[in-house]
């Protein structure tokens, strides 16, 4: 039977406009968008948006869902469930699972797992190492998001530090190269200095001084210089400093940019002052920096030097995060609360609703050349989210869906709530419940 759904009484947000209207879905596609749609020919399910915002589903270009090998922290099923509850309908997952996704066979295994278990649409990055160039070059640009390179060590120890290898990768692949930029030598020197002072009891308040502004800037500036030299298509993940903003431009449209930039929710929300109360629960790599850095990130996001917003969702268990600073891993769960956090920033006057949609829906689709997603248009897949901006709720351990069971937003009252999430025309989240319909599909790319 044909699946036909009409969403009515919606404030539709698309391509810089907000307008009252309706959307008609047939099977997995949007077939009509307008003030009134033609839904009289056959029986339809009617969803009343009640005057709330209707957005394209958010596309998260950087998550760590921990499968295979680290499934005590999270897995594709549990974390994609949390994602759709947070209005994220597509994700791009990173290769630092166990084993690392650094061969085509291991990459294919992750796609196989997701095909059976994902509530959201999915793609997986191919991982680069110092010695797998041949495997990297086999990557299919049609059905793989891109290549991931760790230029600074993080969870999974996939550091690529051979400069000749880096140049070869940058000059050999037409695929988008996404990079984690932190200078390893700088971090090691900083860490040694703090160890000399504190031994193994370094305070977490030193995290942003160990993984410092200098470490970030040195690495990202080198990566950008190499991309300019080789002509590579470079995307710099999770920027965290004001200084790095000088490396990016807003003088050309996104479609013409060869070098693009991402910022994550935690770098827009927290500052170093929060370490005293949140401790390791806001320990990320790159580190949360100062209020000045946060202000500069917001400015660059709004003036289009920064192109996309992501989460870097990276769960660890409560036990792991409760260890002392030197032993606690970096990362935290964010997919369930990212979109409502952005709407909180909207209420605070930091960003418009149109800009939220540009940065977390439209631009990831354009930047990765994702086929038929990221917009509310006829012929596009019906990945859609309804947001009620006046429905306060409190984050508690009981309503956290990530497998790790905690959130850095615990005890915070959000003003906005996700009321409905559709993935490929299937209603996968409503009434604060995720359905058991695993509607996710493999993302394809127009390359």
């Amino acid at each position: 039977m044909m699946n036909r759904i009409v969403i009515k009484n919606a404030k539709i947000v698309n391509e810089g406009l907000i307008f009252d209207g309706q959307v008609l879905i047939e099977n997995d596609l949007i077939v009509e968008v307008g003030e009134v749609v033609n839904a009289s020919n056959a029986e339809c399910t009617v969803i009343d948006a009640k005057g709330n915002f209707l957005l394209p589903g958010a596309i998260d270009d950087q998550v760590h869902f921990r499968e295979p090998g680290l499934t005590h922290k999270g897995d594709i099923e549990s974390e994609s469930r949390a994602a759709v509850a947070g209005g994220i309908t597509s994700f791009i997952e990173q290769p630092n699972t166990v084993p690392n996704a650094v061969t085509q066979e291991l990459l294919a295994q992750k796609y196989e797992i997701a095909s059976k278990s994902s509530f959201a649409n999915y793609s997986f990055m191919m991982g680069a190492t110092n010695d797998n160039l041949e495997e990297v070059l086999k990557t299919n640009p049609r059905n793989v998001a891109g290549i991931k390179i760790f230029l600074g060590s993080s969870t999974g120890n996939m550091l690529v530090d051979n400069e000749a290898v880096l140049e070869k990768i940058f000059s050999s692949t037409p695929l988008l190269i996404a990079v984690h930029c932190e200078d390893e030598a700088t971090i090691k020197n900083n860490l040694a200095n703090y160890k000399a002072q504190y031994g193994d009891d370094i305070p977490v308040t030193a995290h942003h001084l160990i993984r410092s502004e200098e470490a970030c800037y040195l690495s990202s500036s080198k990566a950008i210089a190499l991309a300019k030299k080789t002509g590579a298509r470079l995307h710099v993940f999770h920027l965290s400093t004001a200084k790095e903003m000088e490396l990016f431009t807003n003088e050309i449209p996104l479609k013409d940019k060869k070098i693009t930039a991402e910022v994550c929710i935690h770098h827009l929300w927290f500052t170093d002052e929060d370490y005293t109360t949140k401790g390791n629960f806001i320990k990320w790599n790159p580190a949360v920096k100062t209020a000045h850095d946060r202000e500069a990130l917001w400015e660059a996001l709004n003036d289009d030097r920064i192109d996309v917003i992501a989460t870097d969702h990276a769960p660890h268990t409560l036990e792991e995060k409760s260890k002392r600073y030197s032993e606690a891993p970096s990362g935290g769960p964010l997919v369930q609360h990212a979109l409502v956090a952005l709407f909180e920033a909207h209420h605070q006057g930091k960003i418009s609703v149109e800009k939220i949609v540009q940065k977390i829906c439209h631009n990831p689709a354009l930047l990765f050349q994702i086929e038929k997603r990221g917009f509310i248009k006829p012929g596009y897949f019906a990945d859609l989210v309804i947001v009620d901006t006046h429905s306060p709720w409190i984050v508690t351990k009981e309503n956290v869906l990530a497998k790790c069971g905690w959130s850095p937003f615990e005890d915070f009252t959000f003003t906005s709530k996700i009321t409905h999430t559709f993935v490929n025309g299937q209603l996968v989240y409503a009434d604060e419940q995720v359905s058991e319909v695993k509607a996710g599909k493999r993302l394809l790319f127009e390359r």
Side-chain angles (χ1 to χ4, degrees):
M1 289 180 60
M2 179 175 285
N3 173 44
R4 283 171 59 89
I5 299 171
V6 173
I7 303 172
K8 68 175 186 178
N9 296 327
K11 286 190 185 308
I12 299 169
V13 189
N14 194 61
E15 296 185 283
L17 299 174
I18 300 176
F19 57 96
D20 296 332
Q22 301 182 350
V23 173
L24 175 61
I25 300 166
E26 291 185 357
N27 295 328
D28 57 352
L29 298 177
I30 297 166
V31 294
E32 194 176 347
V33 181
E35 289 186 16
V36 180
V37 297
N38 181 17
S40 59
N41 295 337
E43 188 174 334
C44 294
T45 300
V46 177
I47 304 289
D48 189 348
K50 300 179 180 178
N52 293 316
F53 288 114
L54 179 66
L55 322 179
I59 300 171
D60 193 342
D61 79 352
Q62 187 190 182
V63 303
H64 303 264
F65 281 178
R66 304 306 194 198
E67 190 173 10
L70 298 166
T71 52
H72 66 289
K73 302 173 191 281
D75 55 52
I76 291 169
E77 181 174 358
S78 66
E79 308 315 286
S80 68
R81 180 187 282 111
V84 298
I88 292 170
T89 57
S90 298
F91 64 84
I92 297 173
E93 211 257 1
Q94 304 307 301
N96 54 333
T97 39
V98 179
N100 300 152
V102 295
T103 70
Q104 295 301 320
E105 181 181 3
L106 291 168
L107 188 63
Q109 288 173 11
K110 293 178 75 168
Y111 279 105
E112 180 64 20
I113 294 167
S115 71
K116 298 172 182 174
S117 62
S118 186
F119 289 91
N121 305 308
Y122 52 88
S123 190
F124 298 91
M125 287 276 192
M126 175 65 179
T129 70
N130 280 325
D131 54 11
N132 77 332
L133 179 61
E134 188 175 326
E135 285 293 306
V136 166
L137 295 181
K138 293 177 186 175
T139 306
N140 183 350
R142 172 68 173 149
N143 61 14
V144 177
I147 310 300
K148 173 66 177 289
I149 303 178
F150 286 88
L151 301 180
S153 60
S154 194
T155 304
N157 195 27
M158 288 185 64
L159 179 67
V160 180
D161 56 4
N162 184 315
E163 291 193 9
V165 169
L166 276 174
E167 183 159 348
K168 187 70 173 173
I169 295 170
F170 272 58
S171 59
S172 300
T173 179
L175 277 161
L176 177 147
I177 299 169
V179 287
H180 173 134
C181 288
E182 291 183 287
D183 183 69
E184 195 70 9
T186 302
I187 292 168
K188 284 182 176 177
N189 288 337
N190 292 339
L191 182 59
N193 290 336
Y194 277 90
K195 275 196 169 182
Q197 186 176 353
Y198 292 100
D200 289 332
D201 292 318
I202 300 170
V204 67
T205 51
H207 187 55
H208 72 294
L209 304 173
I210 294 168
R211 303 189 81 101
S212 63
E213 174 192 82
E214 180 189 16
C216 293
Y217 183 83
L218 275 173
S219 184
S220 52
S221 59
K222 283 182 183 177
I224 288 167
L226 185 57
K228 289 178 177 177
K229 176 183 177 182
T230 58
R233 173 67 186 87
L234 181 70
H235 185 47
V236 185
F237 274 161
H238 45 42
L239 291 154
S240 63
T241 72
K243 189 173 182 181
E244 289 170 291
M245 297 306 97
E246 70 190 46
L247 299 170
F248 300 94
T249 184
N250 57 5
E251 294 178 357
I252 55 176
L254 178 61
K255 66 182 179 64
D256 296 326
K257 285 187 180 182
K258 293 277 282 185
I259 297 167
T260 51
E262 174 209 272
V263 67
C264 290
I265 296 295
H266 44 288
H267 294 123
L268 293 171
W269 189 278
F270 299 104
T271 74
D272 62 311
E273 294 177 6
D274 295 307
Y275 287 121
T276 55
T277 55
K278 294 286 185 179
N280 292 330
F281 295 100
I282 62 162
K283 182 186 178 188
W284 279 277
N285 300 337
V288 167
K289 304 294 198 301
T290 68
H292 168 68
D293 291 304
R294 181 177 64 180
E295 183 180 345
L297 294 172
W298 275 112
E299 184 179 333
L301 181 69
N302 277 303
D303 73 16
D304 296 335
R305 282 172 289 161
I306 292 178
D307 303 291
V308 301
I309 304 169
T311 67
D312 195 15
H313 175 93
H316 298 284
T317 66
L318 266 172
E319 181 184 5
E320 290 166 332
K321 292 295 271 187
S322 298
K323 293 179 179 179
R324 60 186 175 185
Y325 165 75
S326 58
E327 297 173 344
S330 293
L334 282 168
V335 288
Q336 188 177 351
H337 305 117
L339 193 53
V340 290
L342 288 173
F343 272 89
E344 201 67 29
H346 166 66
H347 282 293
Q348 295 165 2
K350 294 179 179 177
I351 189 169
S352 69
V353 174
E354 299 94 323
K355 186 68 76 171
I356 291 171
V357 169
Q358 178 193 359
K359 300 296 183 176
I360 204 167
C361 308
H362 300 338
N363 282 5
L366 295 171
L367 192 151
F368 283 90
Q369 299 170 281
I370 302 172
E371 184 174 86
K372 296 198 300 187
R373 301 193 191 275
F375 295 83
I376 302 178
K377 291 181 179 180
Y380 275 59
F381 289 106
D383 300 335
L384 298 163
V385 179
I386 300 174
V387 182
D388 180 347
T389 57
H390 300 284
S391 188
W393 63 288
I394 302 172
V395 180
T396 66
K397 275 189 169 55
E398 290 70 31
N399 58 33
V400 168
L401 295 182
K403 185 186 273 193
C404 66
W406 63 272
S407 167
F409 290 113
E410 273 173 54
D411 300 324
F412 187 83
T413 300
F414 283 113
T415 309
S416 302
K417 178 182 285 187
I418 309 300
T419 64
H420 299 73
T421 304
F422 300 82
V423 176
N424 297 307
Q426 299 289 318
L427 182 59
V428 298
Y429 178 78
D431 300 319
E432 301 182 14
Q433 298 293 320
V434 179
S435 79
E436 288 309 307
V437 178
K438 296 183 175 73
K441 295 183 179 183
R442 182 170 182 163
L443 297 175
L444 296 175
F445 304 90
E446 295 177 319
R447 304 167 177 153

